[in-house]
Amino acid sequence: MTTEPTESLLERAKAAPGALSRAELARLVALRDPAEREALYAAAYEVKLRATGPRVSLRGLVEIGNACAKNCLYCGLRRGNANVRRYEIPEGDVVRMARWAWERRFGSVVLQSGEIESDANTERIVRIVRAIRAFGGEDFAVVLSLGEQTEEVYRAWREAGAARYLLRIETSNPALYGTLHPADHSWARRRDCLRALRRLGYQVGSGVMIGLPGQTAEDLAGDIAFFRDEDIDMIGMGPFLPHGETPLGGVAVDRARQLELGLNMVAATRLQLHDRNLAATTVLQVLAPDGRERALRAGANVMMPNVTDTGYRRNYRLYEDKPCLEDTSEQCLGCLSRRVASIGETIAWGEPGTSPHFLARRGSSREAAAEPR
Ligand code: 5AD
Ligand code: SF4
Ligand code: FES
C-alpha cells in the first residue's frame, strides 16, 4: 500500500469537513517534520480564514472561585491539595469584572470555578447571570464553566440568561480518563452533561488535554471524532503541564513536543471540523511566549484574556507557571491586542463571536437569531 502524500491529504481536508479518517487525523497530529508541520498549519489557516476571517473573538475569563469537590489527578485545584488558599469572589465584584469586559467591548464573559454542587452555589450563579444580563445586550454572551451539574441546575442557569457552557471531556478515551481520575469520577456522566447542555439549547464547548501520560496520537484523533460526533460548537484544548502538588506532578514532559502536539491538534481539528470556534489557550503561552499567536496561525480564532482582579490570580493555578499572575486586566488586554496585531489579525470588538457551527445547526431559526439570551 502506498501512503498518500501529506500535501494531497491536506488538499482533501480543505475541500470539505469530515474528509479525514481517524488514521489520517492521527498521522497529522503526530507530524514532526518542520516543513510538514508548516504545511499543516497553513492549510488549517486557510480553512479558518474561510470560516471566520482574520478575526479574533475575545472572551473575558473571570475565575470566580477556586473551591472544588473533585480530585482530578492532574489539577492544582483538586480537593486534596491543602496548599491552596481557597477563595470565592463576592457577587458584586464578579459582576463588576464582567462589566469591565463588556465596557471594553469583549464578545462574551466566562465565569469559571472548580466544581461545586449545592443549592447555594446554584442560586449565587443565577443572581450573577441575571445581573450581567441586566446590562449586557444581545451582543454580550454569558458563558459558564462550572463543571458537572444536574440537568435542573443547567436549566436554571439557562433560564437566568446563560447562553453557552464549557465542559472539557478531558479525553475521549474512557479508559485513559480512568487513569487520570479517582474511581468515583465518571466519564459517562461528563459526556451526558454535554448532551444535557445541548438539549437545553446552550452553545456547547468542550475540549481535551494534549500530551497526557499514556495518550497516543490515535487517542487525539479520537478526540476530534468525539467533537464531531457530539456536535460540539466550541473547542478549547491545551497541552498537559504537570503541577507539583498533584499526583501527576512528577511526570516528565518534553515541553517542545507538548507545544508541537498542541499546535498540531488545533490545526487538525480546524481541518476536520471547519466551522467550530477554536481557542488559542493560555497553556500554549507558557510553552512559548508566542504560543497563542502560533495557535491563531494554525487555525484558532478565540482568545480568553484573564479579566480577574490580579490579587486572586495566584490562587487559581491548574498547572505550574501560569502567566499573568502580577498583571492587571488592562495590561493583559493591551498585551493581547498587540499580539493579535503582530500577526495581521484584528479583534472582533463588540461582536458576540457565536460559533458558525452553532448558527448552522440552528438554521435561521428565531432562537439562533436571539442566541445570547
Ligand atoms: N495541565 C493542563 N491543563 C490542565 N487543566 C487542569 N489541570 C491541568 C494541567 N495540569 C485543564 C483541564 C480543565 C481546565 C479548566 O484546565 O482540562 O478542564
Ligand atoms: Fe476540579 Fe476542574 Fe481541577 Fe478537576 S480539573 S480538580 S474538576 S477544577
Ligand atoms: Fe497577561 Fe500578556 S496576556 S500579560
Side-chain angles (χ1 to χ4, degrees), residues 74-76 112 145 167-168 170 190 207-209 236 238-243 246 283 316 318-320:
Y74 43 83
C75 177
Q112 188 173 75
S145 178
L167 181 71
R168 289 186 177 184
E170 311 299 0
R190 222 166 162 77
V208 295
M209 283 178 289
F240 159 70
L241 282 182
H243 184 302
T246 67
V283 208
Y316 200 93
L318 308 159
Y319 46 82
E320 270 167 19

Side-chain angles (χ1 to χ4, degrees), residues 282 285 292 305-306 313 323-325 327-329 331-336 338-339:
T282 310
Q285 185 195 345
R292 285 177 302 177
N306 198 330
R313 296 185 181 195
C324 312
L325 293 181
D327 298 292
T328 64
S329 300
Q331 284 167 332
C332 285
L333 181 56
C335 164
L336 225 113
R338 285 190 296 278
R339 289 173 181 280

Side-chain angles (χ1 to χ4, degrees), residues 50-52 55 57 138-139 141 158 163-164 198 201-204 231-234 273-277 301 351-373:
R50 252 190 279 147
T52 62
R55 297 148 56 74
S57 294
E138 294 290 318
D139 291 338
R158 177 91 183 105
R164 311 181 189 171
R198 192 166 187 279
Y202 280 96
Q203 198 177 136
V204 179
D231 227 351
I232 299 299
D233 301 300
M234 311 175 272
L273 302 178
H274 287 211
D275 64 352
R276 320 296 161 112
N277 272 352
N301 69 310
E351 293 175 31
T354 306
S355 166
H357 183 73
F358 181 79
L359 292 174
R361 78 174 164 90
R362 284 309 192 74
S364 51
S365 72
R366 281 250 221 72
E367 249 174 318
E371 182 271 327
R373 308 223 114 244

Side-chain angles (χ1 to χ4, degrees), residues 21-307:
S21 69
R22 282 213 194 188
E24 289 164 345
L25 283 170
R27 196 176 132 197
L28 293 183
V29 168
L31 283 182
R32 300 220 67 163
D33 176 72
E36 285 197 308
R37 281 194 290 110
E38 283 315 314
L40 167 65
Y41 305 155
Y45 195 66
E46 267 184 57
V47 175
K48 162 187 144 169
L49 289 183
R50 252 190 279 147
T52 62
R55 297 148 56 74
V56 181
S57 294
L58 291 192
R59 241 186 229 158
L61 174 67
V62 187
E63 296 160 338
I64 65 172
N66 66 358
C68 188
K70 296 190 98 178
N71 225 359
C72 307
L73 303 187
Y74 43 83
C75 177
L77 298 189
R78 65 199 304 272
R79 170 183 89 223
N81 185 0
N83 297 327
V84 182
R85 182 180 308 168
R86 306 285 168 172
Y87 70 86
E88 180 179 271
I89 303 183
E91 290 174 29
D93 291 332
V94 173
V95 174
R96 167 176 55 74
M97 293 173 210
R99 181 186 281 276
W100 185 90
W102 172 71
E103 285 167 349
R104 295 291 182 293
R105 310 196 67 233
F106 283 49
S108 57
V109 67
V110 189
L111 311 179
Q112 188 173 75
S113 75
E115 198 167 299
I116 308 165
E117 289 187 77
S118 73
D119 291 346
N121 186 59
T122 301
E123 283 152 27
R124 162 176 148 90
I125 300 302
V126 164
R127 287 189 299 270
I128 293 172
V129 172
R130 286 207 182 115
I132 298 172
R133 291 301 312 146
F135 62 79
E138 294 290 318
D139 291 338
F140 188 67
V142 178
V143 189
L144 302 179
S145 178
L146 307 169
E148 295 167 33
Q149 304 283 342
T150 63
E151 185 154 354
E152 289 63 48
V153 171
Y154 288 145
R155 181 177 295 111
W157 292 344
R158 177 91 183 105
E159 283 168 1
R164 311 181 189 171
Y165 205 99
L166 310 178
L167 181 71
R168 289 186 177 184
I169 192 72
E170 311 299 0
T171 169
S172 61
N173 177 342
L176 179 59
Y177 186 93
T179 68
L180 304 167
H181 298 90
D184 64 349
H185 292 27
S186 159
W187 183 90
R189 186 192 186 209
R190 222 166 162 77
R191 194 251 346 255
D192 291 345
C193 283
L194 289 169
R195 293 182 177 173
L197 290 162
R198 192 166 187 279
R199 273 197 300 281
L200 289 164
Y202 280 96
Q203 198 177 136
V204 179
S206 193
V208 295
M209 283 178 289
I210 302 163
L212 288 162
Q215 190 181 44
T216 63
E218 287 69 30
D219 288 328
L220 292 166
D223 293 343
I224 299 174
F226 177 91
F227 301 145
R228 185 149 188 263
D229 295 343
E230 298 294 328
D231 227 351
I232 299 299
D233 301 300
M234 311 175 272
I235 297 161
M237 31 185 197
F240 159 70
L241 282 182
H243 184 302
E245 293 163 353
T246 67
L248 296 180
V251 171
V253 296
D254 172 349
R255 291 187 153 223
R257 185 59 188 148
Q258 294 295 88
L259 176 64
E260 275 179 20
L261 273 179
L263 296 173
N264 289 2
M265 262 302 270
V266 166
T269 303
R270 174 63 72 192
L271 276 170
Q272 180 76 338
L273 302 178
H274 287 211
D275 64 352
R276 320 296 161 112
N277 272 352
L278 256 171
T281 54
T282 310
V283 208
L284 295 167
Q285 185 195 345
V286 178
L287 294 169
D290 62 348
R292 285 177 302 177
E293 296 89 282
R294 286 162 71 179
L296 294 177
R297 298 284 304 183
N301 69 310
V302 173
M303 277 184 162
M304 292 176 61
N306 198 330
V307 303

